[in-house]
Amino acid sequence: MEAPHNSPAAETAPNPAGTDPASAPKPAAPDSAAAPASTASAEHGGSAGGAGAVPEAVTVALTVTSPEQMQELGRRLARVLAPGDLVMLTGELGAGKTTLTRGLGEGLGVRGAVTSPTFVIARVHPSLSGGPALVHVDAYRLGGGLDEMEDLDLDVSLPESVVVVEWGDGKVEELSDDRLRVLIDRATGDTDDERREVTLVGIGARWAGLREALG
């Protein structure tokens, strides 16, 4: 389960003394990573190129059956991410948002353990290989908007990082016209069912090739 939200702060992931995160063992990939269950074009408003047209969205639906597969999905997504990308994670507590982000961090090769941003609003994980930093944000208490993100005093340039935002719907969309929404649905009620239905929605020209990139 993801812990309750407490006081806001921002921090950079430390490099533990005597530990080389780049050489730390990574979880083995599951025998069969999640594969697309179905794909479909999302609806988009307005006529093509017309005034008020909304960028077309590309949707990919996946089924994940274990935390290991969720983490492997994060590693797969990391291979298609680039500096300036905005990833918005939506799902109830315990759905697997942080598990997915942990896989993203492994795939990007960043410093520090990726954990739920419980006591901070944002945590920065610098790259160990010259790639983009991972900025992991908990927007639960944010009102939304670029100004609030800048007020976090992150020691990294957002356009040069991969920004992953939990609870970001309706709050951080203005950060980028191109963004990847990840919706994670789990079985409701008191159950230990680990099956998750994951829907990836790529919005904007940046994500036009999302299906092919994950194929």
Side-chain angles (χ1 to χ4, degrees), residues 15-213:
N15 190 2
T19 301
D20 180 4
S23 62
K26 298 180 180 179
D31 292 337
S32 58
S38 63
T39 60
S41 295
E43 63 278 358
H44 56 94
S47 58
V54 177
E56 182 175 0
V58 176
T59 300
V60 178
L62 307 162
T63 297
V64 172
T65 60
S66 69
E68 291 77 18
Q69 280 198 1
M70 185 69 76
Q71 199 159 328
E72 172 63 16
L73 176 58
R75 289 191 286 267
R76 288 174 59 195
L77 284 175
R79 294 197 292 267
V80 303
L81 293 176
D85 282 344
L86 172 64
V87 182
M88 299 167 54
L89 307 182
T90 300
E92 64 182 52
L93 289 171
K97 298 186 296 296
T98 300
T99 300
L100 178 70
T101 308
R102 189 172 298 121
L104 287 173
E106 290 179 358
L108 291 171
V110 299
R111 189 178 80 199
V114 175
T115 59
S116 180
T118 304
F119 300 103
V120 296
I121 286 181
R123 182 176 286 116
V124 180
H125 297 271
S127 174
L128 292 168
S129 59
L134 171 65
V135 181
H136 186 195
V137 181
D138 182 342
Y140 189 79
R141 294 179 303 278
L142 291 181
L146 182 59
D147 289 343
E148 273 198 88
M149 288 289 290
E150 292 177 340
D151 287 345
L152 294 176
D153 293 325
L154 300 174
D155 59 347
V156 67
S157 173
L158 297 181
E160 297 174 0
S161 309
V162 171
V163 180
V164 177
V165 185
E166 298 188 22
W167 308 100
D169 280 0
K171 299 178 180 180
V172 299
E173 285 86 351
E174 69 180 75
L175 289 176
S176 177
D177 291 334
D178 298 295
R179 54 193 179 272
L180 178 64
R181 296 185 66 219
V182 181
L183 296 84
I184 306 175
D185 292 319
R186 58 175 295 185
T188 58
D190 185 12
T191 176
D192 58 0
D193 187 355
E194 294 182 338
R195 180 186 178 93
R196 303 287 188 268
E197 300 300 333
V198 182
T199 305
L200 309 176
V201 183
I203 300 172
R206 164 72 178 92
W207 298 105
L210 177 61
R211 296 191 196 106
E212 294 76 12

